[in-house]
Amino acid sequence: MRRHHPWVFSGAIGSVEPAFTEAGWAEAVTESGAFIAYGWYDEKSHIILRLISWDRKQSPGDDMVRSLVRGAVERRKSFFSLPDTTAFRLIHGEADFIPGLAVDAYGRELRAIVSSRFADKNLGVIAEELDALLHPDVIEAVTDKQFAGLEGLAERIRHFRGGKETREDESRSSVRFIERGIWYEAAPGKGQKSGFYCDQRDSRSIAEEYAAGRTVLDLFSYTGGFTLHLLRGGALSVDAVDSSESALRHLLYQIHLNEDKKVLPPGSREKVTITAANAFEHIRQAEEGKYDMMILDPPKLAKTKSSLGNAMKAYKDLNRVAMMKIRNGGIIATFSCSGAMTREDFRMMLAWAAADAGAEIQILRTLSAGEDHPVRLSFPESEYLKGYIIRVIR
Ligand code: SAH
């Protein structure tokens, strides 16, 4: 608590005075009564106390929330004037001192992902402040389904216009946005086509630099974040694999969109094959030596610290098989977005995989989320996305 980690679990709390039954602002003090921090207390949350401010002079409440939102948006100032990118993160949860809330901008729309009771309860004030600062067309807030159960939150979608909550019809049209000059389209709601992972922006650009003349396997391709960049970078072909058929269909649509916008040359679509499959199985069937570049961007395999052991095995297996199948000297962009896995764990996993694959590995680039997803030093979990560009030598 003193080192500004924001999570306090019930076992760390001696007593709650006066007895609190509802959720609300609280002051954390030592046994002798010395001030530690202000936070949000909620018995129904899996993190009973979320510390927010260590500054005694600030008073907790709506104004504090407004100023936290303002601070996060002001820190993104440089993103608003980027000529070729209109999708980026405005609020990155605890790393921006707002627990359990992510807010992304997609052009003139904002998308909030709510993963804490704190964010859910304070969403009205947050939306009001975002509206006052940015005047978006709409703010759409969805409950993060991974946390709905843990936090006792209903899975729902809320909308705010002009800072006020509205009832929305389902007929809203899709929103188009660009990332480093490439066009994407997201649909409203929470389906496979609705989301976008803007945390991989820098890594996609870096992968593009390596793509020229390569035969690429894009595993866990989703709607083609990497595939589109690889095509622009001059890849000979890209095989995109994902378990979601609708994501793959959307990938093809986004290739057409970029051909229409003249971002990709005509004929780009013919370079791509899509396969709906379990990527862990699919890579075992891959022809040895066919690919000289691979993207491995699996979903979060370690959801909590306790599942880290099994997740490490799955990551290792995936990377080991990739190292065995890739052409000698080929390039792999490999990632983990598990907050429970440290960068050291990730490196160790790669070392095990390499030993079993009988390969030497050179790390060419160290990858992480973009600076709109800052890592807060006092909250190591915020370094959730880790990656490397490696060269495989056998
Ligand atoms: N690289 C993507 C993001 C990947 S997100 C981008 O840049 O946009 C992870 C993806 O893995 C999701 O699309 C999900 O559908 C897919 N997925 C999850 N489990 C899978 C499995 N076992 N096999 C293949 N795809 C899987």
Side-chain angles (χ1 to χ4, degrees), residues 20-76:
F20 227 152
T21 45
E22 303 253 321
W25 293 98
E27 190 178 325
V29 298
T30 63
E31 248 174 326
S32 55
F35 175 81
I36 301 174
Y38 296 116
W40 181 268
Y41 180 89
D42 190 330
E43 273 184 347
K44 295 198 181 116
S45 170
H46 80 293
I47 300 169
I48 196 160
L49 177 63
R50 296 171 182 269
L51 299 183
I52 293 175
S53 171
W54 285 258
D55 179 357
R56 185 170 202 173
K57 295 188 293 295
Q58 283 200 0
S59 32
D62 287 358
D63 285 346
M64 185 191 272
V65 174
R66 285 178 206 280
S67 97
L68 292 171
V69 171
R70 219 157 37 236
V73 171
E74 277 165 11
R75 288 190 288 273
R76 278 20 177 229

Short mmCIF file of all heavy atoms in Angstrom, two decimals, residues 20-76:
data_model
loop_
_atom_site.label_atom_id
_atom_site.label_comp_id
_atom_site.label_asym_id
_atom_site.label_seq_id
_atom_site.Cartn_x
_atom_site.Cartn_y
_atom_site.Cartn_z
N PHE A 20 -19.26 -0.57 7.14
CA PHE A 20 -19.62 -0.12 5.81
C PHE A 20 -20.43 -1.24 5.18
O PHE A 20 -19.97 -2.37 5.12
CB PHE A 20 -18.31 -0.04 5.04
CG PHE A 20 -18.07 1.20 4.24
CD1 PHE A 20 -16.76 1.61 4.03
CD2 PHE A 20 -19.10 1.92 3.68
CE1 PHE A 20 -16.49 2.72 3.27
CE2 PHE A 20 -18.83 3.04 2.92
CZ PHE A 20 -17.52 3.44 2.73
N THR A 21 -21.59 -0.99 4.71
CA THR A 21 -22.27 -2.07 4.00
C THR A 21 -22.34 -1.77 2.52
O THR A 21 -22.28 -2.64 1.69
CB THR A 21 -23.70 -2.31 4.54
OG1 THR A 21 -24.32 -1.04 4.69
CG2 THR A 21 -23.67 -3.04 5.85
N GLU A 22 -22.41 -0.49 2.21
CA GLU A 22 -22.46 -0.09 0.80
C GLU A 22 -21.04 0.15 0.31
O GLU A 22 -20.10 0.20 1.08
CB GLU A 22 -23.23 1.21 0.70
CG GLU A 22 -24.62 1.14 1.26
CD GLU A 22 -25.64 1.12 0.16
OE1 GLU A 22 -25.42 1.85 -0.82
OE2 GLU A 22 -26.62 0.38 0.28
N ALA A 23 -20.95 0.35 -0.97
CA ALA A 23 -19.66 0.72 -1.53
C ALA A 23 -19.48 2.23 -1.43
O ALA A 23 -20.46 2.97 -1.38
CB ALA A 23 -19.61 0.31 -2.99
N GLY A 24 -18.23 2.65 -1.38
CA GLY A 24 -18.01 4.09 -1.37
C GLY A 24 -16.57 4.44 -1.10
O GLY A 24 -15.71 3.57 -0.99
N TRP A 25 -16.31 5.72 -0.99
CA TRP A 25 -14.96 6.22 -0.75
C TRP A 25 -14.53 5.88 0.67
O TRP A 25 -15.35 5.91 1.59
CB TRP A 25 -14.89 7.73 -0.97
CG TRP A 25 -15.10 8.08 -2.41
CD1 TRP A 25 -16.26 8.49 -2.98
CD2 TRP A 25 -14.13 7.99 -3.44
NE1 TRP A 25 -16.07 8.68 -4.33
CE2 TRP A 25 -14.77 8.38 -4.64
CE3 TRP A 25 -12.78 7.62 -3.50
CZ2 TRP A 25 -14.11 8.41 -5.87
CZ3 TRP A 25 -12.13 7.66 -4.72
CH2 TRP A 25 -12.79 8.04 -5.88
N ALA A 26 -13.28 5.57 0.82
CA ALA A 26 -12.76 5.22 2.14
C ALA A 26 -11.34 5.75 2.29
O ALA A 26 -10.69 6.10 1.30
CB ALA A 26 -12.75 3.69 2.29
N GLU A 27 -10.92 5.83 3.55
CA GLU A 27 -9.57 6.27 3.83
C GLU A 27 -8.83 5.09 4.44
O GLU A 27 -9.32 4.50 5.39
CB GLU A 27 -9.65 7.44 4.82
CG GLU A 27 -8.36 8.17 5.02
CD GLU A 27 -8.54 9.36 5.99
OE1 GLU A 27 -9.62 10.01 5.97
OE2 GLU A 27 -7.61 9.60 6.76
N ALA A 28 -7.69 4.75 3.89
CA ALA A 28 -6.91 3.65 4.46
C ALA A 28 -5.90 4.25 5.43
O ALA A 28 -5.17 5.18 5.09
CB ALA A 28 -6.18 2.88 3.36
N VAL A 29 -5.89 3.74 6.65
CA VAL A 29 -4.95 4.22 7.66
C VAL A 29 -4.21 3.04 8.27
O VAL A 29 -4.67 1.91 8.19
CB VAL A 29 -5.69 5.01 8.79
CG1 VAL A 29 -6.38 6.24 8.23
CG2 VAL A 29 -6.70 4.12 9.51
N THR A 30 -3.06 3.33 8.88
CA THR A 30 -2.32 2.28 9.58
C THR A 30 -3.03 1.98 10.89
O THR A 30 -3.97 2.69 11.29
CB THR A 30 -0.88 2.74 9.91
OG1 THR A 30 -0.98 3.84 10.82
CG2 THR A 30 -0.12 3.15 8.67
N GLU A 31 -2.54 0.97 11.58
CA GLU A 31 -3.16 0.60 12.87
C GLU A 31 -3.16 1.77 13.85
O GLU A 31 -4.07 1.94 14.63
CB GLU A 31 -2.42 -0.60 13.47
CG GLU A 31 -3.29 -1.82 13.47
CD GLU A 31 -2.53 -3.05 13.92
OE1 GLU A 31 -1.32 -3.16 13.63
OE2 GLU A 31 -3.16 -3.89 14.58
N SER A 32 -2.10 2.59 13.73
CA SER A 32 -2.05 3.72 14.66
C SER A 32 -2.78 4.96 14.12
O SER A 32 -2.73 6.03 14.72
CB SER A 32 -0.59 4.06 14.98
OG SER A 32 0.10 4.29 13.77
N GLY A 33 -3.41 4.78 12.96
CA GLY A 33 -4.26 5.87 12.47
C GLY A 33 -3.60 6.82 11.46
O GLY A 33 -4.20 7.81 11.06
N ALA A 34 -2.36 6.51 11.04
CA ALA A 34 -1.70 7.40 10.08
C ALA A 34 -2.26 7.19 8.66
O ALA A 34 -2.45 6.05 8.23
CB ALA A 34 -0.20 7.14 10.09
N PHE A 35 -2.47 8.26 7.96
CA PHE A 35 -3.04 8.22 6.61
C PHE A 35 -2.16 7.43 5.64
O PHE A 35 -0.94 7.61 5.61
CB PHE A 35 -3.22 9.66 6.09
CG PHE A 35 -3.69 9.75 4.67
CD1 PHE A 35 -5.05 9.61 4.36
CD2 PHE A 35 -2.80 9.97 3.63
CE1 PHE A 35 -5.50 9.69 3.05
CE2 PHE A 35 -3.24 10.05 2.30
CZ PHE A 35 -4.59 9.91 2.01
N ILE A 36 -2.77 6.56 4.85
CA ILE A 36 -2.03 5.89 3.77
C ILE A 36 -2.53 6.39 2.42
O ILE A 36 -1.76 6.91 1.63
CB ILE A 36 -2.17 4.35 3.83
CG1 ILE A 36 -1.67 3.80 5.17
CG2 ILE A 36 -1.39 3.71 2.67
CD1 ILE A 36 -1.92 2.31 5.36
N ALA A 37 -3.82 6.23 2.19
CA ALA A 37 -4.35 6.60 0.87
C ALA A 37 -5.87 6.66 0.92
O ALA A 37 -6.49 6.12 1.84
CB ALA A 37 -3.91 5.58 -0.18
N TYR A 38 -6.45 7.30 -0.09
CA TYR A 38 -7.89 7.22 -0.31
C TYR A 38 -8.15 6.15 -1.34
O TYR A 38 -7.34 5.94 -2.26
CB TYR A 38 -8.44 8.55 -0.85
CG TYR A 38 -8.31 9.72 0.09
CD1 TYR A 38 -7.51 10.81 -0.24
CD2 TYR A 38 -9.01 9.74 1.30
CE1 TYR A 38 -7.39 11.89 0.61
CE2 TYR A 38 -8.90 10.82 2.16
CZ TYR A 38 -8.08 11.90 1.81
OH TYR A 38 -7.97 12.96 2.64
N GLY A 39 -9.29 5.51 -1.20
CA GLY A 39 -9.63 4.47 -2.16
C GLY A 39 -11.12 4.23 -2.21
O GLY A 39 -11.89 4.90 -1.51
N TRP A 40 -11.49 3.26 -3.01
CA TRP A 40 -12.90 2.89 -3.17
C TRP A 40 -13.09 1.52 -2.53
O TRP A 40 -12.42 0.55 -2.90
CB TRP A 40 -13.28 2.85 -4.66
CG TRP A 40 -14.70 2.52 -4.93
CD1 TRP A 40 -15.22 1.28 -5.16
CD2 TRP A 40 -15.80 3.43 -5.02
NE1 TRP A 40 -16.57 1.36 -5.39
CE2 TRP A 40 -16.95 2.67 -5.31
CE3 TRP A 40 -15.93 4.82 -4.88
CZ2 TRP A 40 -18.21 3.26 -5.47
CZ3 TRP A 40 -17.18 5.40 -5.04
CH2 TRP A 40 -18.30 4.62 -5.33
N TYR A 41 -13.99 1.48 -1.55
CA TYR A 41 -14.26 0.24 -0.82
C TYR A 41 -15.54 -0.37 -1.36
O TYR A 41 -16.54 0.34 -1.52
CB TYR A 41 -14.40 0.57 0.67
CG TYR A 41 -14.68 -0.62 1.55
CD1 TYR A 41 -13.63 -1.36 2.10
CD2 TYR A 41 -15.98 -0.99 1.84
CE1 TYR A 41 -13.88 -2.45 2.90
CE2 TYR A 41 -16.24 -2.09 2.65
CZ TYR A 41 -15.19 -2.82 3.18
OH TYR A 41 -15.44 -3.90 3.98
N ASP A 42 -15.50 -1.66 -1.64
CA ASP A 42 -16.72 -2.32 -2.11
C ASP A 42 -16.64 -3.79 -1.75
O ASP A 42 -15.82 -4.54 -2.30
CB ASP A 42 -16.86 -2.14 -3.63
CG ASP A 42 -18.22 -2.59 -4.14
OD1 ASP A 42 -18.82 -3.51 -3.55
OD2 ASP A 42 -18.68 -2.01 -5.15
N GLU A 43 -17.49 -4.18 -0.82
CA GLU A 43 -17.45 -5.57 -0.34
C GLU A 43 -17.73 -6.60 -1.41
O GLU A 43 -17.31 -7.74 -1.32
CB GLU A 43 -18.49 -5.75 0.77
CG GLU A 43 -17.93 -5.40 2.12
CD GLU A 43 -18.91 -5.65 3.24
OE1 GLU A 43 -20.11 -5.87 2.96
OE2 GLU A 43 -18.47 -5.63 4.39
N LYS A 44 -18.47 -6.19 -2.44
CA LYS A 44 -18.84 -7.16 -3.48
C LYS A 44 -17.76 -7.29 -4.55
O LYS A 44 -17.87 -8.14 -5.44
CB LYS A 44 -20.16 -6.73 -4.13
CG LYS A 44 -21.33 -6.78 -3.16
CD LYS A 44 -22.64 -6.79 -3.92
CE LYS A 44 -23.83 -6.80 -2.98
NZ LYS A 44 -24.63 -5.58 -3.10
N SER A 45 -16.74 -6.46 -4.47
CA SER A 45 -15.67 -6.54 -5.47
C SER A 45 -14.67 -7.61 -5.06
O SER A 45 -14.46 -7.86 -3.88
CB SER A 45 -14.96 -5.19 -5.57
OG SER A 45 -13.80 -5.32 -6.37
N HIS A 46 -14.01 -8.25 -6.03
CA HIS A 46 -13.01 -9.26 -5.65
C HIS A 46 -11.75 -8.57 -5.13
O HIS A 46 -10.88 -9.23 -4.55
CB HIS A 46 -12.74 -10.25 -6.78
CG HIS A 46 -11.84 -9.78 -7.86
ND1 HIS A 46 -12.16 -8.76 -8.73
CD2 HIS A 46 -10.60 -10.19 -8.24
CE1 HIS A 46 -11.17 -8.58 -9.58
NE2 HIS A 46 -10.21 -9.43 -9.31
N ILE A 47 -11.63 -7.28 -5.33
CA ILE A 47 -10.57 -6.49 -4.70
C ILE A 47 -11.31 -5.48 -3.82
O ILE A 47 -11.86 -4.50 -4.32
CB ILE A 47 -9.69 -5.79 -5.76
CG1 ILE A 47 -9.04 -6.85 -6.65
CG2 ILE A 47 -8.63 -4.92 -5.08
CD1 ILE A 47 -8.36 -6.30 -7.88
N ILE A 48 -11.31 -5.76 -2.53
CA ILE A 48 -12.26 -5.06 -1.65
C ILE A 48 -11.97 -3.56 -1.55
O ILE A 48 -12.88 -2.75 -1.40
CB ILE A 48 -12.30 -5.76 -0.26
CG1 ILE A 48 -13.51 -5.34 0.54
CG2 ILE A 48 -11.01 -5.53 0.50
CD1 ILE A 48 -13.86 -6.29 1.66
N LEU A 49 -10.69 -3.21 -1.66
CA LEU A 49 -10.33 -1.79 -1.59
C LEU A 49 -9.37 -1.48 -2.73
O LEU A 49 -8.34 -2.14 -2.89
CB LEU A 49 -9.67 -1.51 -0.23
CG LEU A 49 -9.16 -0.09 0.02
CD1 LEU A 49 -10.31 0.92 0.00
CD2 LEU A 49 -8.44 -0.01 1.37
N ARG A 50 -9.73 -0.49 -3.50
CA ARG A 50 -8.88 -0.08 -4.63
C ARG A 50 -8.35 1.31 -4.32
O ARG A 50 -9.11 2.28 -4.29
CB ARG A 50 -9.68 -0.08 -5.93
CG ARG A 50 -10.17 -1.48 -6.32
CD ARG A 50 -11.13 -1.40 -7.49
NE ARG A 50 -11.65 -2.71 -7.86
CZ ARG A 50 -11.09 -3.51 -8.76
NH1 ARG A 50 -9.98 -3.16 -9.37
NH2 ARG A 50 -11.65 -4.67 -9.04
N LEU A 51 -7.05 1.39 -4.07
CA LEU A 51 -6.45 2.68 -3.68
C LEU A 51 -6.31 3.57 -4.91
O LEU A 51 -5.93 3.13 -5.99
CB LEU A 51 -5.10 2.45 -3.01
CG LEU A 51 -5.16 1.62 -1.73
CD1 LEU A 51 -3.77 1.51 -1.11
CD2 LEU A 51 -6.15 2.19 -0.73
N ILE A 52 -6.59 4.84 -4.70
CA ILE A 52 -6.64 5.76 -5.84
C ILE A 52 -5.75 6.98 -5.65
O ILE A 52 -5.06 7.40 -6.57
CB ILE A 52 -8.11 6.14 -6.14
CG1 ILE A 52 -8.83 4.89 -6.64
CG2 ILE A 52 -8.19 7.28 -7.16
CD1 ILE A 52 -10.30 5.03 -6.86
N SER A 53 -5.72 7.53 -4.44
CA SER A 53 -4.88 8.71 -4.25
C SER A 53 -4.12 8.64 -2.93
O SER A 53 -4.71 8.37 -1.88
CB SER A 53 -5.74 9.98 -4.28
OG SER A 53 -4.94 11.07 -3.88
N TRP A 54 -2.83 8.90 -3.00
CA TRP A 54 -1.97 8.88 -1.82
C TRP A 54 -1.73 10.31 -1.30
O TRP A 54 -0.89 10.53 -0.47
CB TRP A 54 -0.65 8.19 -2.14
CG TRP A 54 -0.78 6.69 -2.23
CD1 TRP A 54 -0.41 5.78 -1.27
CD2 TRP A 54 -1.34 5.92 -3.30
NE1 TRP A 54 -0.70 4.51 -1.69
CE2 TRP A 54 -1.27 4.56 -2.93
CE3 TRP A 54 -1.90 6.25 -4.54
CZ2 TRP A 54 -1.74 3.53 -3.74
CZ3 TRP A 54 -2.37 5.22 -5.36
CH2 TRP A 54 -2.29 3.89 -4.96
N ASP A 55 -2.49 11.25 -1.88
CA ASP A 55 -2.33 12.67 -1.53
C ASP A 55 -3.45 13.05 -0.55
O ASP A 55 -4.61 13.16 -0.93
CB ASP A 55 -2.41 13.51 -2.81
CG ASP A 55 -2.28 14.99 -2.54
OD1 ASP A 55 -2.19 15.38 -1.34
OD2 ASP A 55 -2.29 15.76 -3.51
N ARG A 56 -3.05 13.26 0.69
CA ARG A 56 -4.05 13.49 1.73
C ARG A 56 -4.87 14.75 1.47
O ARG A 56 -6.04 14.85 1.88
CB ARG A 56 -3.33 13.60 3.09
CG ARG A 56 -4.33 13.71 4.18
CD ARG A 56 -3.75 13.60 5.55
NE ARG A 56 -4.84 13.19 6.43
CZ ARG A 56 -4.71 12.86 7.67
NH1 ARG A 56 -3.53 12.86 8.22
NH2 ARG A 56 -5.76 12.52 8.38
N LYS A 57 -4.27 15.73 0.81
CA LYS A 57 -4.94 17.02 0.61
C LYS A 57 -6.10 16.95 -0.39
O LYS A 57 -6.96 17.80 -0.38
CB LYS A 57 -3.91 18.07 0.14
CG LYS A 57 -2.85 18.37 1.20
CD LYS A 57 -1.95 19.53 0.83
CE LYS A 57 -1.05 19.25 -0.35
NZ LYS A 57 -0.03 18.18 -0.14
N GLN A 58 -6.07 15.95 -1.24
CA GLN A 58 -7.18 15.81 -2.19
C GLN A 58 -8.39 15.26 -1.46
O GLN A 58 -8.23 14.43 -0.58
CB GLN A 58 -6.81 14.81 -3.28
CG GLN A 58 -5.87 15.39 -4.30
CD GLN A 58 -5.89 14.58 -5.59
OE1 GLN A 58 -6.61 13.60 -5.71
NE2 GLN A 58 -5.09 15.00 -6.54
N SER A 59 -9.59 15.71 -1.83
CA SER A 59 -10.71 15.02 -1.19
C SER A 59 -11.37 14.08 -2.19
O SER A 59 -11.62 14.43 -3.34
CB SER A 59 -11.72 15.99 -0.58
OG SER A 59 -11.76 17.15 -1.32
N PRO A 60 -11.60 12.83 -1.72
CA PRO A 60 -12.17 11.84 -2.63
C PRO A 60 -13.61 12.20 -2.99
O PRO A 60 -14.31 12.84 -2.21
CB PRO A 60 -12.12 10.55 -1.82
CG PRO A 60 -12.02 10.97 -0.40
CD PRO A 60 -11.38 12.31 -0.37
N GLY A 61 -14.03 11.80 -4.18
CA GLY A 61 -15.39 12.08 -4.63
C GLY A 61 -15.42 12.31 -6.12
O GLY A 61 -14.43 12.06 -6.82
N ASP A 62 -16.56 12.80 -6.60
CA ASP A 62 -16.74 12.99 -8.05
C ASP A 62 -15.67 13.90 -8.66
O ASP A 62 -15.20 13.65 -9.77
CB ASP A 62 -18.12 13.60 -8.35
CG ASP A 62 -19.23 12.58 -8.14
OD1 ASP A 62 -18.91 11.42 -7.81
OD2 ASP A 62 -20.40 12.95 -8.30
N ASP A 63 -15.30 14.95 -7.93
CA ASP A 63 -14.32 15.88 -8.51
C ASP A 63 -12.97 15.20 -8.71
O ASP A 63 -12.25 15.49 -9.65
CB ASP A 63 -14.14 17.11 -7.62
CG ASP A 63 -15.33 18.06 -7.77
OD1 ASP A 63 -16.11 17.86 -8.73
OD2 ASP A 63 -15.50 18.95 -6.92
N MET A 64 -12.63 14.30 -7.79
CA MET A 64 -11.38 13.57 -7.95
C MET A 64 -11.45 12.69 -9.21
O MET A 64 -10.50 12.65 -10.00
CB MET A 64 -11.11 12.70 -6.72
CG MET A 64 -9.76 12.01 -6.77
SD MET A 64 -9.58 10.77 -5.49
CE MET A 64 -8.94 11.75 -4.15
N VAL A 65 -12.57 12.04 -9.40
CA VAL A 65 -12.73 11.19 -10.59
C VAL A 65 -12.60 12.04 -11.86
O VAL A 65 -11.90 11.68 -12.80
CB VAL A 65 -14.10 10.46 -10.56
CG1 VAL A 65 -14.33 9.69 -11.86
CG2 VAL A 65 -14.16 9.52 -9.37
N ARG A 66 -13.28 13.19 -11.84
CA ARG A 66 -13.18 14.08 -13.01
C ARG A 66 -11.73 14.47 -13.28
O ARG A 66 -11.28 14.49 -14.42
CB ARG A 66 -13.99 15.36 -12.79
CG ARG A 66 -15.48 15.17 -12.90
CD ARG A 66 -16.18 16.51 -12.61
NE ARG A 66 -17.51 16.28 -12.11
CZ ARG A 66 -18.55 16.00 -12.89
NH1 ARG A 66 -18.40 15.95 -14.18
NH2 ARG A 66 -19.73 15.78 -12.36
N SER A 67 -11.00 14.79 -12.24
CA SER A 67 -9.63 15.24 -12.48
C SER A 67 -8.73 14.09 -12.94
O SER A 67 -7.80 14.29 -13.72
CB SER A 67 -9.09 16.01 -11.28
OG SER A 67 -8.33 15.18 -10.47
N LEU A 68 -9.04 12.86 -12.51
CA LEU A 68 -8.27 11.71 -13.01
C LEU A 68 -8.53 11.50 -14.50
O LEU A 68 -7.61 11.21 -15.26
CB LEU A 68 -8.65 10.44 -12.24
CG LEU A 68 -8.24 10.41 -10.76
CD1 LEU A 68 -8.87 9.21 -10.05
CD2 LEU A 68 -6.73 10.39 -10.62
N VAL A 69 -9.78 11.65 -14.90
CA VAL A 69 -10.13 11.51 -16.32
C VAL A 69 -9.41 12.59 -17.13
O VAL A 69 -8.80 12.32 -18.16
CB VAL A 69 -11.66 11.61 -16.52
CG1 VAL A 69 -12.02 11.68 -18.00
CG2 VAL A 69 -12.36 10.41 -15.86
N ARG A 70 -9.47 13.80 -16.62
CA ARG A 70 -8.82 14.93 -17.31
C ARG A 70 -7.32 14.68 -17.47
O ARG A 70 -6.75 14.87 -18.53
CB ARG A 70 -9.06 16.21 -16.49
CG ARG A 70 -9.34 17.41 -17.34
CD ARG A 70 -10.09 18.52 -16.61
NE ARG A 70 -9.71 18.70 -15.21
CZ ARG A 70 -10.56 18.65 -14.19
NH1 ARG A 70 -11.85 18.42 -14.40
NH2 ARG A 70 -10.15 18.82 -12.95
N GLY A 71 -6.70 14.23 -16.40
CA GLY A 71 -5.26 13.96 -16.45
C GLY A 71 -4.92 12.94 -17.52
O GLY A 71 -3.99 13.13 -18.31
N ALA A 72 -5.70 11.85 -17.57
CA ALA A 72 -5.42 10.79 -18.55
C ALA A 72 -5.57 11.32 -19.97
O ALA A 72 -4.73 11.04 -20.84
CB ALA A 72 -6.37 9.61 -18.32
N VAL A 73 -6.61 12.09 -20.21
CA VAL A 73 -6.85 12.62 -21.57
C VAL A 73 -5.74 13.61 -21.94
O VAL A 73 -5.20 13.57 -23.04
CB VAL A 73 -8.25 13.26 -21.67
CG1 VAL A 73 -8.41 14.01 -22.99
CG2 VAL A 73 -9.33 12.19 -21.52
N GLU A 74 -5.38 14.47 -21.00
CA GLU A 74 -4.31 15.45 -21.29
C GLU A 74 -2.99 14.76 -21.62
O GLU A 74 -2.24 15.22 -22.47
CB GLU A 74 -4.13 16.42 -20.12
CG GLU A 74 -5.15 17.56 -20.19
CD GLU A 74 -5.28 18.33 -18.88
OE1 GLU A 74 -4.43 18.13 -17.99
OE2 GLU A 74 -6.24 19.12 -18.77
N ARG A 75 -2.72 13.65 -20.95
CA ARG A 75 -1.47 12.94 -21.23
C ARG A 75 -1.47 12.32 -22.64
O ARG A 75 -0.42 11.93 -23.13
CB ARG A 75 -1.24 11.85 -20.18
CG ARG A 75 -0.85 12.40 -18.81
CD ARG A 75 -0.39 11.30 -17.86
NE ARG A 75 -1.49 10.46 -17.40
CZ ARG A 75 -2.26 10.71 -16.33
NH1 ARG A 75 -2.05 11.79 -15.61
NH2 ARG A 75 -3.22 9.88 -15.99
N ARG A 76 -2.65 12.22 -23.28
CA ARG A 76 -2.73 11.66 -24.65
C ARG A 76 -2.73 12.76 -25.71
O ARG A 76 -3.03 12.50 -26.87
CB ARG A 76 -4.02 10.86 -24.83
CG ARG A 76 -4.12 9.41 -24.34
CD ARG A 76 -3.18 8.98 -23.35
NE ARG A 76 -3.36 7.62 -22.89
CZ ARG A 76 -3.39 7.32 -21.59
NH1 ARG A 76 -3.33 8.26 -20.67
NH2 ARG A 76 -3.47 6.06 -21.22
#
